[in-house]
Amino acid sequence: MSMQSLLFWLIAFVMGVITSVYLPMNGVVARYVGSALLANIPFYLLGAITTLLLYSLTGNFSAVSRFREVPSYLYLSGFISAFLVFGSTFLIPRLGAGRFFVLFVAGQILMALAVSHFGLLDSPQDPITLKKVFGAILLLIGVVLATQ
């Protein structure tokens, strides 16, 4: 494995660790304000400010004009993101972080198999194999065992 691949694996792992912390943090915000929906506001407001601040450091302002080239259906990712954060904010206090993330990751893995198999959303095509089906079955067994 190359050093670059190792770095990418490490970054993906750390992103998983961070996700396991920041989504429950939003649940705590919801408890303070009394609304899972309202808890999304500071999440996205600070996210937008951070993104704009980091983008301003690149100096590549001409890229903004390319938003016109993006197919409109891809902007649904904003709706999906809001639903994801709201859903986790609502569900983690009810299911617990462990149960939520087991189900969350299982859903991600199973959907990723389909997305990769068909090469959806410009992802590299990676056909489902018998070994992957067996892994998915083991995953589902693990989900059942981990959530009981």
Side-chain angles (χ1 to χ4, degrees):
M1 181 181 300
S2 72
M3 192 58 108
Q4 183 181 28
S5 292
L6 185 60
L7 178 63
F8 290 165
W9 283 45
L10 179 62
I11 291 170
F13 178 79
V14 169
M15 288 173 67
V17 170
I18 291 169
T19 300
S20 297
V21 173
Y22 94 91
L23 290 175
M25 286 172 69
N26 223 38
V28 175
V29 171
R31 207 170 338 130
Y32 274 100
V33 299
S35 169
L37 280 173
L38 282 178
N40 273 1
I41 293 171
F43 176 89
Y44 283 103
L45 181 62
L46 290 172
I49 290 169
T50 302
T51 301
L52 290 170
L53 188 67
L54 291 172
Y55 184 73
S56 70
L57 298 175
T58 69
N60 185 13
F61 298 106
S62 63
V64 173
S65 66
R66 292 198 301 260
F67 273 116
R68 290 184 294 239
E69 301 168 19
V70 177
S72 57
Y73 74 91
L74 291 176
Y75 288 110
L76 287 173
S77 64
F79 170 79
I80 293 167
S81 178
F83 178 76
L84 185 147
V85 173
F86 166 68
S88 62
T89 302
F90 179 79
L91 290 171
I92 289 172
R94 288 160 178 80
L95 295 175
R99 184 172 286 138
F100 171 80
F101 279 108
V102 166
L103 294 165
F104 182 79
V105 170
Q108 284 181 305
I109 291 170
L110 294 174
M111 188 60 186
L113 284 172
V115 168
S116 293
H117 178 76
F118 295 107
L120 301 175
L121 300 168
D122 295 329
S123 69
Q125 198 165 4
D126 185 18
I128 292 177
T129 62
L130 194 55
K131 187 163 58 168
K132 290 177 186 174
V133 170
F134 182 67
I137 291 168
L138 289 176
L139 170 77
L140 291 173
I141 291 169
V143 167
V144 170
L145 293 174
T147 58
Q148 297 303 311

